[in-house]
Amino acid sequence: MDITYAIEIKNARKVFRIGEEKIIALDDISMNIKTGEICCLLGTSGSGKSTLLNLMAGLEKPTKGSIIIHGKHIEKMSEKQLTNFRQKNIGFIFQSYNLMPTLNALENVSLPLTFRGVSKKAREKAAFTMLKAVGLEKYIKHKPTQMSGGQQQRVGIARAFVSKAPIVFADEPTGNLDSKTTQEVLQLMLSLAKKNRQTLIIVTHDKSIATFADRIFYILDGNIEKVEVNHEESRGTSDEA
């Protein structure tokens, strides 16, 4: 059976230079993530998990190796090409929400569609539909400072999913939330990703959050220490890392 990969990483290495010092953030990583799969990059602070996410998202270029998203080598793209590629293919959910403080919830969620040239009427309709899906239809005119942390993260989730980007990256998405809100936010992210068959990559240091994923990639000292399969639908892919 042919497997369609959303992300293919081949022998990725990332070295940062600070003065005379050479820091190896990622050593030699190879892994594949299937289209529609929910994966978690799990590791402690400094393990390299965020650097790995940045390579996948095209925010950093590898020192060596290939990063292939939907068949395209993004490590060979210019900054302009990467920007256009991200707008069409990638959604982001951040730990600190990263909402525009001067914009209300509806405007924040519709922002990615603005960059795509969608008409104001169409993007506001799509944004309202997403805010309703995350339970915030009564808060569309609220600005970030008028909402709780959990509500702000729901706006962030709506923004990441509104354009139905094939891939969504979530970097410590529940780091600022209490345990009850964390569960609600995770369930929301998973249900939206599965509904639209989007690939979801969650970066976290929390093992309890990782258990929501189909596969967990344990990152340690810039390497994949092991891969754990959580759900039966992902079996047959654990040897791909």
Side-chain angles (χ1 to χ4, degrees), residues 13-232:
R13 179 177 171 86
K14 182 64 179 179
V15 179
F16 294 102
R17 292 187 181 276
I18 301 175
E20 295 294 315
E21 190 178 1
K22 185 170 73 171
I23 299 171
I24 301 172
L26 295 175
D27 197 0
D28 182 17
I29 285 185
S30 295
M31 61 188 287
N32 294 333
I33 295 174
K34 292 194 301 180
T35 298
E37 191 173 12
I38 296 168
C39 289
C40 179
L41 307 180
L42 180 68
T44 57
S45 177
S47 62
K49 63 186 187 300
S50 291
T51 301
L52 181 54
L53 179 142
N54 288 342
L55 293 188
M56 290 183 189
L59 300 173
E60 299 263 10
K61 287 187 181 289
T63 306
K64 288 183 180 179
S66 301
I67 312 293
I68 305 166
I69 309 290
H70 295 306
K72 298 184 184 298
H73 281 262
I74 67 170
E75 84 279 0
K76 296 178 180 179
M77 292 182 182
S78 66
E79 284 305 313
K80 184 176 180 181
Q81 289 172 325
L82 277 169
T83 298
N84 291 333
F85 184 82
R86 281 194 293 265
Q87 286 175 1
K88 294 176 182 176
N89 294 280
I90 294 172
F92 289 97
I93 303 168
F94 303 93
Q95 176 179 349
S96 55
Y97 321 133
N98 281 29
L99 302 178
M100 298 293 287
T102 58
L103 303 181
N104 62 36
L106 191 73
E107 292 165 337
N108 265 291
V109 174
S110 65
L111 204 55
L113 300 176
T114 305
F115 297 131
R116 289 190 174 196
V118 178
S119 70
K120 183 178 180 181
K121 184 178 179 180
R123 65 179 184 255
E124 285 187 350
K125 182 180 178 182
F128 178 78
T129 300
M130 277 305 310
L131 285 165
K132 187 176 181 180
V134 301
L136 291 180
E137 65 268 30
K138 294 180 180 178
Y139 295 83
I140 62 170
K141 297 298 183 183
H142 285 59
K143 292 183 177 179
T145 53
Q146 298 171 306
M147 293 183 283
S148 68
Q151 288 168 339
Q152 289 184 65
Q153 191 59 294
R154 286 170 181 266
V155 174
I157 290 168
R159 180 185 57 189
F161 283 97
V162 70
S163 59
K164 297 184 178 177
I167 300 171
V168 175
F169 293 112
D171 191 2
E172 298 281 6
T174 61
N176 291 330
L177 305 177
D178 60 54
S179 57
K180 181 177 181 292
T181 309
T182 289
Q183 296 294 314
E184 293 172 353
V185 163
L186 285 169
Q187 292 291 356
L188 187 56
M189 286 165 47
L190 266 59
S191 65
L192 288 169
K194 288 178 178 178
K195 179 182 178 182
N196 298 315
R197 201 167 184 263
Q198 290 162 288
T199 306
L200 176 61
I201 315 297
I202 303 170
V203 171
T204 185
H205 64 277
D206 189 338
K207 179 68 188 290
S208 67
I209 291 171
T211 58
F212 283 81
D214 298 325
R215 281 193 297 161
I216 305 171
F217 292 86
Y218 289 80
I219 313 299
L220 180 67
D221 297 333
N223 290 285
I224 297 176
E225 185 185 26
K226 66 174 180 175
V227 183
E228 188 175 295
V229 180
N230 272 342
H231 305 137
E232 192 63 36

